[in-house]
Amino acid sequence: MFSSWTSPSGGLVWHMRALHRRRHWNHFLLPVGDWLDTWHPASTGLLLIGPSAGWCIPDSFLGRFSQIHALDIDPLAGKIFRVLHRKIIAGRRVQLTWQEGDLFEQLEDLLCKYPDHAVLFCNVLGQHGLHQRVAELLTRDFESLTSLLRGRVWASFHDRLSGGRNEADPIPGQFLLSKGLDTQTLVQRVAREGQWIDHLTQGVFPENTARLMIPWGIRPGVLHWVEAGFIG
Ligand SMILES: C[S@@+](CC[C@H](N)C(=O)[O-])C[C@H]1O[C@@H](n2cnc3c(N)ncnc32)[C@H](O)[C@@H]1O
């Protein structure tokens, strides 16, 4: 498994992109923040999985927790996270601990170590295909993840589809789904033209989970459809 600052799903390239492009991402950052505002786990502890430097995660959300433990494979992420979110960390509103590692190897131990923490997957599950290229193994990883999370309070926002976008067109609107939508139907609904990448996250949530579909014009000419939902 990849573990370096040049990881295909994060690392230096991601941090540089986020630094330069974040000012163009309000159409994505605001709905993510609003959606996080609707999630109210009872716990004051949070496991943040794959948060990178938290470029897309507002302080107003993080500040609701007194203890946060984060896990990311990117060795740069923790250092930049502490700078970006210094207001809440330095003010000791939030006690942050950080772990560098792979969620598919280390989550089970973390769930045991922090039995009462809520869990947030931060746009990480849709990146797994960049690390695990064998579709059957990827599906198996997601199945083990879902069974590990049984009984826990957790949430995730993750890529479902990504593809091209005509810059002259406006960013499409977000929409709510009361339950799962298979990828083929989703493609027909949102991605009429061009080639789209399936991030193979269709089965992450149990079927009856309501979810918000948020478009993200991540860079010129590229659009991601991000699925956001919570369990508990
Ligand atoms: C797109 S970035 C997340 C961006 C984040 N939501 C933010 O606000 O900046 C994906 C992150 O997931 C991490 N990641 C990818 N696969 C991982 C894995 N198997 N275990 C832990 N972290 C992983 C990457 O290092 C990267 O930091």
Side-chain angles (χ1 to χ4, degrees), residues 9 14 50-52 54-56 72-74 101-103 122-124 131:
S9 66
W14 163 248
S52 183
W55 296 100
C56 304
D72 198 296
I73 46 174
D74 174 1
D102 184 337
L103 80 95
C122 308
N123 206 3
V124 57
H131 298 271

Side-chain angles (χ1 to χ4, degrees), residues 153-165:
V153 171
W154 65 279
S156 176
F157 59 108
H158 47 252
D159 288 319
R160 280 290 303 270
L161 293 174
S162 57
R165 177 174 96 83

Side-chain angles (χ1 to χ4, degrees), residues 48-222:
L48 265 188
I49 309 299
S52 183
W55 296 100
C56 304
I57 308 169
D59 272 355
S60 55
F61 170 73
L62 298 172
R64 284 164 42 197
F65 299 89
S66 55
Q67 283 189 312
I68 295 181
H69 185 83
L71 171 72
D72 198 296
I73 46 174
D74 174 1
L76 282 177
K79 293 178 186 63
I80 306 176
F81 189 102
R82 285 177 195 279
V83 175
L84 280 182
H85 298 284
R86 62 191 173 281
K87 275 195 198 135
I88 54 162
I89 297 165
R92 297 201 187 279
R93 270 167 61 199
V94 176
Q95 192 195 342
L96 174 73
T97 47
W98 196 277
Q99 180 171 332
E100 188 188 317
D102 184 337
L103 80 95
F104 291 98
E105 290 164 7
Q106 301 186 10
L107 185 65
E108 187 168 5
D109 285 350
L110 278 184
L111 292 172
C112 291
K113 194 168 169 196
Y114 299 98
D116 298 320
H117 278 34
V119 186
L120 176 64
F121 295 88
C122 308
N123 206 3
V124 57
L125 298 178
Q127 315 301 311
H128 190 38
L130 298 172
H131 298 271
Q132 176 53 269
R133 305 269 179 189
V134 183
E136 293 79 39
L137 296 180
L138 181 135
T139 306
R140 193 202 56 190
D141 286 346
F142 283 152
E143 281 166 5
S144 343
L145 192 73
T146 318
S147 75
L148 278 182
L149 289 165
R150 207 158 286 139
R152 296 293 294 241
V153 171
W154 65 279
S156 176
F157 59 108
H158 47 252
D159 288 319
R160 280 290 303 270
L161 293 174
S162 57
R165 177 174 96 83
N166 183 345
E167 281 296 295
D169 294 341
I171 300 268
Q174 63 184 49
F175 57 93
L176 259 175
L177 294 171
S178 58
K179 60 184 175 76
L181 194 61
D182 66 89
T183 302
Q184 212 181 339
T185 315
L186 182 63
V187 168
Q188 280 162 2
R189 175 156 179 181
V190 301
R192 284 173 210 98
E193 298 165 4
Q195 287 207 319
W196 288 79
I197 295 169
D198 177 2
H199 288 257
L200 301 175
T201 46
Q202 177 183 326
V204 166
F205 292 133
E207 169 65 17
N208 59 359
T209 309
R211 61 221 53 204
L212 181 64
M213 301 301 301
I214 311 173
W216 183 12
I218 186 168
R219 58 180 198 273
V222 179

Side-chain angles (χ1 to χ4, degrees), residues 18-38:
L19 184 64
H20 290 291
R21 302 253 3 125
R22 194 162 61 142
R23 65 184 188 280
H24 302 291
W25 288 349
N26 277 347
H27 64 276
F28 175 67
L29 301 180
L30 296 176
V32 168
D34 288 347
W35 166 73
L36 286 169
D37 278 349
T38 65

